[in-house]
Amino acid sequence: MMAQFVFYIFATVLLFSAAMVITARNPVHAVLFLILAFFNASGLFLLAGAEFLAMLLVIVYVGAVAVLFLFVVMMLDVDFGQLREGFQKYAPLGGCVGGVLFAELVLAFSHWQMAPGRAAPLAAPGLTNTAALGGIIYTHYVLLFQACGLVLLVAMIGAITLTLRERVTGRRQNVTCQHARTRADTLEMLELNLGESVAERGGFLRPKGSYNEIAVPGSFGLVPENPKDDVASNKEKGA
Amino acid sequence: MAQFFYHTLVGQICLMLLETLAVLVPLLIGVAYLTLMERKVMAAMQRRRGPNVNGAFGLLQAFADAIKMIVKETVIPAGANRGLFLFAPFLTFSLAMVAWAVIPTGNGLAVANINVGILYLLAISSLGVYGILIAGWASNSKYAFLGGLRSAAQMVSYEVSIGLVIVSVLLAVGSLNLNDIVLAQRHVWFCLPMFPMFVVFFISALAETNRAPFDLPEGESELVAGFFVEYSSLAFGLFFLGEYANMILMSSMVSILFLGGWLPPLGIAPLTWIPGPLWLIFKILFCLFVFIWVRATFPRYRYDQLMRLGWKVFLPFSLLWMIGTAGFLMVTGLLPHSGGVN
């Protein structure tokens, strides 16, 4: 009875928040409702005894994917009124896509059999569903799993290629170069007699050699244009 | 009595409430004294006295602060999104509390001893970012917003390496249950064979709780106070409590994953006399001391350095270590088989 009660709570909130995702005026609210929907779906998974999937849903979708959604939506200046203008024009098309997806789901659930031939031994008592999933994914269907990984890898490389820009003016710190610097490389102590000006000796504590030879002008400690030559010239100075 | 608690619905609900209180009350007292401990320890490191006026040795300072915070006026900025503005601190605080449901303080002594305990902790800690992100956005202030964005990016980045570290520990345990993870350390604590992972996890825990030297979300020199700049009174207090409760939670995760949880260092007589929960508390206190020590010692990271450390150092290193652990366990035949997978 308790489980049924909880199920109806989760299911109601899930449907309500799913509806709010597409009707909310504020895009940030829409994403927050989406997160609530994910959360309730994971609650339903828990009730169904699939605790591993429930936790995975929260960790992957709520903890990572939705954070990035929220990130983007918060930073973008989306005018939802403008987006809403084409609603009536696109409604039939959207309805068709939704109908096709729903029909596919119905077909899949009526005829599809998950992991045929493997389901029986995995339903053995005492086997947690984490172990059962691990057995199916990593032992019996490892090639398919690897293929999925490759698809994701290609998508990732694509995203990186699309967004990577080599900026000429980019100031990037070379950490190795930075760590290799010592006090002796950069500073010298001047001993001054009383009354003698620092200016007469060429200034105060300053980098050895010329400032400009150590780094690109105006960016001290950043990567020089041709690091190798630069390191070599520094070594000559030190010797 | 036992009949009432174990066999009637009302009794079970009462038992659950009592168990919850038994965890939360000590936790909140712990949070109160953690703030005092932080001020005292940092004062000692900086050759000061720290709070010493309220009560003996300043022991009542935390309560004085709490009362001060409660009686202040709650100010909600005019442009703020009222509902979300108030929701964010409650979310942060309650997430910091619910995570404690699975922390075992002794063999089988947890409010909920669930199969996927470590995943539950990971899930709850990954939810923590929402409190900060929502607070930053709902305040309708650019400083708060920037603080929130920084924090979100930081927490998502370090969660990746935390996840990989946890996976390498789980490979050696063969179970996602926190109780099993502690019991697997009967012979040797994981901090010895996996010392580099211990260090990576600890540093990631610092980043995950937004503590120094990774406290950029509240970098006061450029963002005033970061995501909670618009908060006052109890709402601020909830953020504050949540942050310190998260510190204790992360310390307990370090203790459970690497320092043998409630187990004594050696299974010999005088050490085994001390009860398990006390050992866990000692270990948590040790981790908290290191948290504070780090804060008193290191300057704040620059944001690009923080991201570089997370993505270019910790992620590849923990990935490599995970593969190495898996390979080693496979070759030596030590890989634990859980649940009898064929």
Side-chain angles (χ1 to χ4, degrees):
Chain A
M1 192 213 54
M2 194 70 182
Q4 265 183 344
F5 179 66
V6 178
F7 169 80
Y8 282 116
I9 288 183
F10 278 139
T12 318
V13 179
L14 174 61
L15 289 178
F16 169 75
S17 50
M20 287 305 285
V21 173
I22 45 175
T23 53
R25 283 193 177 278
N26 190 328
V28 173
H29 290 178
V31 177
L32 290 176
F33 275 116
L34 181 67
I35 292 160
L36 188 63
F38 282 146
F39 210 76
N40 282 285
S42 99
L44 288 181
F45 271 131
L46 264 188
L47 280 183
E51 74 270 4
F52 184 73
L53 282 182
M55 292 305 153
L56 223 56
L57 189 67
V58 174
I59 293 171
V60 175
Y61 282 91
V62 182
V65 176
V67 172
L68 299 181
F69 279 180
L70 202 58
F71 221 90
V72 172
V73 169
M74 278 179 176
M75 299 224 278
L76 288 180
D77 196 14
V78 188
D79 183 5
F80 246 47
Q82 207 178 6
L83 282 181
R84 225 167 262 277
E85 274 171 12
F87 181 75
Q88 296 207 326
K89 201 166 82 184
Y90 294 114
L93 187 66
C96 285
V97 173
V100 169
L101 285 178
F102 184 71
E104 280 176 353
L105 268 183
V106 171
L107 281 178
F109 272 102
S110 52
H111 293 294
W112 192 267
Q113 204 188 354
M114 301 283 183
R118 298 289 176 199
L122 286 173
L127 190 65
T128 62
N129 58 38
T130 314
L133 269 178
I136 286 197
I137 294 175
Y138 290 103
T139 310
H140 301 304
Y141 290 92
V142 67
L143 281 179
L144 287 176
F145 179 72
Q146 293 287 344
C148 293
L150 279 181
V151 172
L152 284 178
L153 182 68
V154 170
M156 191 176 85
I157 294 173
I160 293 174
T161 321
L162 283 177
T163 51
L164 185 70
R165 289 175 295 165
E166 279 294 339
R167 279 179 297 182
V168 191
T169 54
R171 293 175 155 201
R172 191 171 296 158
Q173 185 179 25
N174 185 338
V175 177
T176 333
C177 172
Q178 187 88 358
H179 283 173
R181 281 160 59 100
T182 60
R183 198 177 295 172
D185 287 339
T186 50
L187 296 175
E188 63 181 326
M189 189 69 92
L190 295 180
E191 301 252 340
L192 289 180
N193 298 322
L194 201 61
E196 193 185 1
S197 157
V198 209
E200 289 162 22
R201 299 279 299 269
F204 38 85
L205 288 180
R206 60 207 295 270
K208 261 187 195 168
S210 161
Y211 185 89
N212 290 342
E213 282 167 23
I214 291 177
V216 203
S219 57
F220 192 59
L222 300 173
V223 187
E225 291 187 351
N226 39 0
K228 275 182 190 162
D229 297 353
D230 211 73
V231 170
S233 70
N234 271 350
K235 271 187 186 154
E236 280 165 23
K237 289 258 153 49
Chain B
M1 199 67 180
Q3 168 72 23
F4 170 70
F5 276 135
Y6 289 102
H7 298 285
T8 63
L9 188 63
V10 182
Q12 278 171 356
I13 292 174
C14 287
L15 188 66
M16 199 42 115
L17 284 177
L18 287 177
E19 280 175 350
T20 314
L21 281 181
V23 174
L24 290 190
V25 171
L27 174 66
L28 288 176
I29 294 174
V31 167
Y33 278 100
L34 175 58
T35 61
L36 182 71
M37 171 179 162
E38 172 162 43
R39 293 170 69 174
K40 278 287 190 189
V41 169
M42 279 183 57
M45 284 172 182
Q46 297 161 355
R47 305 184 67 178
R48 297 182 284 118
R49 278 178 188 279
N52 61 352
V53 176
N54 296 314
F57 309 109
L59 282 176
L60 297 177
Q61 181 66 39
F63 299 98
D65 285 344
I67 292 168
K68 182 200 78 175
M69 208 165 270
I70 289 167
V71 297
K72 280 192 169 184
E73 182 191 356
T74 308
V75 181
I76 299 178
N81 190 321
R82 215 183 151 84
L84 286 179
F85 184 80
L86 292 175
F87 173 65
F90 281 102
L91 182 71
T92 306
F93 178 71
S94 45
L95 283 177
M97 297 292 120
V98 292
W100 281 87
V102 293
I103 299 287
T105 48
N107 198 354
L109 260 181
V111 175
N113 186 6
I114 57 175
N115 274 337
V116 286
I118 191 76
L119 286 183
Y120 175 82
L121 281 182
L122 205 59
I124 295 295
S125 74
S126 70
L127 285 179
V129 67
Y130 283 109
I132 293 170
L133 209 49
I134 292 173
W137 182 77
S139 302
N140 200 13
S141 143
K142 53 180 171 264
Y143 297 116
F145 186 52
L146 282 175
L149 289 185
R150 275 186 179 188
S151 176
Q154 173 178 335
M155 289 171 86
V156 170
S157 308
Y158 278 84
E159 233 152 56
V160 181
S161 46
I162 283 192
L164 286 173
V165 172
I166 288 178
V167 170
S168 12
V169 170
L170 293 181
L171 280 172
V173 177
S175 165
L176 298 176
N177 187 320
L178 288 169
N179 212 49
D180 294 349
I181 291 176
V182 174
L183 287 180
Q185 303 178 58
R186 268 166 315 196
H187 306 298
V188 57
W189 294 356
F190 285 141
C191 68
L192 293 178
M194 296 196 187
F195 185 72
M197 287 295 99
F198 175 53
V199 175
V200 168
F201 190 87
F202 191 83
I203 297 175
S204 304
L206 287 176
E208 189 75 6
T209 47
N210 295 329
R211 286 286 297 182
F214 305 111
D215 53 350
L216 287 133
E218 48 196 87
E220 58 277 272
S221 47
E222 67 261 40
L223 290 181
V224 194
F227 61 89
F228 53 63
V229 63
E230 302 291 347
Y231 282 87
S232 57
S233 176
L234 202 58
F236 172 77
L238 286 178
F239 269 124
F240 193 73
L241 287 177
E243 199 175 315
Y244 279 83
N246 268 332
M247 268 170 71
I248 305 183
L249 179 72
M250 274 294 170
S251 304
S252 69
M253 270 176 85
V254 173
S255 313
I256 286 169
L257 288 172
F258 290 101
L259 298 176
W262 68 82
L263 296 172
L266 294 167
I268 51 173
L271 294 176
T272 48
W273 291 344
I274 301 175
L278 273 184
W279 275 116
L280 186 66
I281 289 172
F282 286 151
K283 287 166 189 175
I284 292 176
L285 278 178
F286 170 73
C287 294
L288 288 173
F289 177 77
V290 183
F291 266 75
I292 297 167
W293 191 5
V294 166
R295 182 179 171 194
T297 312
F298 293 111
R300 186 176 292 146
Y301 261 53
R302 224 173 43 212
Y303 203 71
D304 62 316
Q305 292 171 329
L306 168 95
M307 282 297 163
R308 181 182 165 275
L309 185 70
W311 288 106
K312 294 189 178 170
V313 181
F314 282 180
L315 178 61
F317 181 64
S318 48
L319 195 59
L320 199 69
W321 188 276
M322 188 191 84
I323 295 170
T325 312
F328 176 79
L329 291 173
M330 202 71 198
V331 167
T332 52
L334 291 170
L335 196 67
H337 286 272
S338 81
V341 182
N342 37 346

